[in-house]
């Protein structure tokens, strides 16, 4: 299949997917921040009676904390993150949980406030982590492909695919924040950092085959080499992605609420990352080679 000849369609499709997300980022405005970014309170509670995670979430919503996140730490011990609680609100919350779920008592093991300033520092540190990873990836790919003509293009193409994948994920969550009231928190940041690894991993699989074929067939046009390389790696890429998709879907359907945001990001990334390694990174090399970017 002549993938190279269809690079304009690949770029157009990506633009049509990214554009709505950028619009929502600009006018919504942006992503809907969760408690991790807006600040809030954290509670570690021990229940004298047996309490299940789903019923604890339902009761927290009934008591006016529908956005609370719940993480099980041990037998009947839970870590709860809510919007900022005053002393009066916290006491009322504990009494409500005791009455509804644990008549024999609720023990407050810890209580802390999460400052919005700390949350802002988390975002800044995540940005620096992404930037450092992108620079490291660019340098490594440039060095790894030093034996082929114009190795800097491979590093640049890997970064373009990475940015492409990240923009699609962020844009989708900007839309979901308005349409489905989905918030983003620290798990979203962790997932975005994971995007970098998976996106580049899938791209490198295709690039490595391009490198081998460039050295094997030095007289062939780059477009022919890229088409051959994509055809040779397509089956492997699809098999890997489908295997991971089935696993993520199972976790998404039967896993806990705490990691659902993380799994949703990964689900999108697997699909987008597989596409971008074929339709963006590889086509970017060809577009640069034939002057399409001028």
């Amino acid at each position: 299949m002549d993938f190279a000849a269809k690079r304009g369609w690949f770029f157009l499709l990506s633009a049509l997917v990214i554009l709505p997300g950028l619009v929502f980022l600009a006018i919504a405005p942006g992503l809907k921040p969760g408690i991790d970014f807006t600040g809030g309170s954290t509670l570690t509670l021990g229940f004298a009676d047996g309490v299940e995670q789903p019923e604890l979430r339902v009761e927290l919503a009934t008591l006016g904390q529908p956005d609370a996140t719940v993480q099980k730490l041990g037998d009947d011990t839970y870590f709860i993150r809510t919007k900022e609680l005053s002393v009066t609100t916290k006491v009322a919350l504990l009494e409500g949980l005791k009455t509804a779920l644990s008549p024999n008592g609720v023990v407050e093991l810890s209580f802390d406030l999460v400052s919005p300033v700390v949350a802002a520092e988390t975002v800044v540190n995540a940005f620096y982590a992404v930037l450092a990873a992108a620079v490291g990836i660019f340098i490594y790919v440039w060095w790894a492909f030093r034996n082929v003509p114009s190795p800097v293009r491979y590093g640049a193409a890997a970064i373009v695919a990475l940015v492409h994948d990240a923009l699609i994920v962020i844009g989708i969550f900007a839309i979901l924040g308005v349409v489905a009231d989905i918030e983003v928190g620290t798990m979203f940041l962790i997932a975005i950092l994971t995007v970098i690894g998976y996106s580049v991993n899938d791209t490198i699989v295709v690039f490595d085959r391009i490198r081998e074929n460039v050295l094997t067939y030095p007289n062939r046009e780059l477009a022919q080499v890229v088409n051959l390389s994509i055809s040779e790696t397509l089956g492997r890429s699809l098999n890997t992605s489908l295997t991971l998709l089935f696993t993520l879907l199972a976790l998404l359907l039967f896993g806990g609420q705490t990691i659902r945001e993380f799994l949703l990001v990964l689900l999108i990334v697997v699909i987008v990352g597989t596409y971008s390694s074929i339709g963006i990174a590889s086509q970017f090399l060809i577009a640069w080679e034939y002057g399409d970017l001028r």
Side-chain angles (χ1 to χ4, degrees):
M1 183 174 177
D2 192 355
F3 295 96
K6 297 175 175 58
R7 59 185 179 275
W9 290 106
F10 285 125
F11 295 152
L12 178 60
L13 176 61
S14 293
L16 292 176
V17 174
I18 292 173
L19 186 59
L22 294 179
V23 171
F24 273 81
L25 280 171
I27 66 174
L31 298 164
K32 185 176 182 181
I35 296 169
D36 297 341
F37 299 146
T38 59
S41 300
T42 60
L43 284 159
T44 303
L45 302 179
F47 294 87
D49 300 302
V51 175
E52 296 297 327
Q53 198 169 356
E55 61 180 342
L56 178 55
R57 283 201 185 91
V58 171
E59 190 57 35
L60 285 169
T62 303
L63 294 171
Q65 301 296 333
D67 299 325
T69 58
V70 180
Q71 181 179 356
K72 189 169 186 176
L73 302 179
D75 293 337
D76 301 320
T77 303
Y78 292 92
F79 176 80
I80 302 169
R81 195 188 301 268
T82 69
K83 294 180 180 178
E84 189 168 337
L85 300 174
S86 65
V87 176
T88 305
T89 307
K90 182 188 73 170
V91 171
L93 182 65
L94 294 177
E95 286 297 322
L97 292 175
K98 178 181 177 181
T99 302
L101 301 176
S102 185
N104 290 319
V106 177
V107 180
E108 179 186 325
L109 301 176
S110 70
F111 174 70
D112 295 293
L113 294 176
V114 180
S115 167
V117 175
V118 175
E121 290 178 355
T122 302
V123 176
V124 172
N125 290 337
F127 171 77
Y128 286 137
V130 171
L131 184 61
V135 172
I137 289 168
F138 175 79
I139 294 173
Y140 170 73
V141 174
W142 185 359
W143 177 83
F145 288 81
R146 63 191 181 281
N147 293 327
V148 298
S150 305
V152 67
R153 296 182 181 181
Y154 291 83
I159 299 303
V160 167
L162 185 157
V163 172
H164 167 273
D165 296 352
L167 282 176
I168 289 180
V169 172
I170 293 171
I172 289 175
F173 270 79
I175 295 171
L176 291 176
V178 175
V179 175
D181 203 33
I182 292 180
E183 298 179 343
V184 297
T186 51
M187 289 300 289
F188 179 77
L189 286 181
I190 295 170
I192 289 297
L193 291 173
T194 308
V195 167
I196 296 172
Y198 186 84
S199 172
V200 173
N201 174 72
D202 215 30
T203 300
I204 288 298
V205 170
V206 180
F207 277 9
D208 196 50
R209 186 54 60 92
I210 292 175
R211 175 177 58 181
E212 293 177 3
N213 287 331
V214 164
L215 298 176
T216 304
Y217 308 106
N219 296 324
R220 286 193 180 185
E221 291 283 332
L222 180 61
Q224 294 177 320
V225 172
V226 168
N227 285 334
L228 175 63
S229 302
I230 292 175
S231 299
E232 291 175 343
T233 57
L234 187 59
R236 174 186 171 181
S237 296
L238 290 177
N239 288 334
T240 302
S241 298
L242 285 173
T243 303
L244 187 53
L245 274 175
F246 292 143
T247 305
L248 291 174
L249 282 172
L251 287 170
L252 193 64
L253 293 173
F254 304 109
Q257 182 71 28
T258 309
I259 59 172
R260 187 153 295 177
E261 177 187 350
F262 178 75
L263 293 173
L264 182 57
V265 174
L266 289 187
L267 198 64
I268 298 170
V269 168
V270 170
I271 298 170
V272 174
T274 304
Y275 163 77
S276 68
S277 63
I278 298 169
I280 299 301
S282 302
Q283 307 310 321
F284 182 83
L285 287 176
I286 298 172
W288 195 339
E289 174 73 16
Y290 294 115
D292 296 355
L293 303 179
R294 294 174 186 171

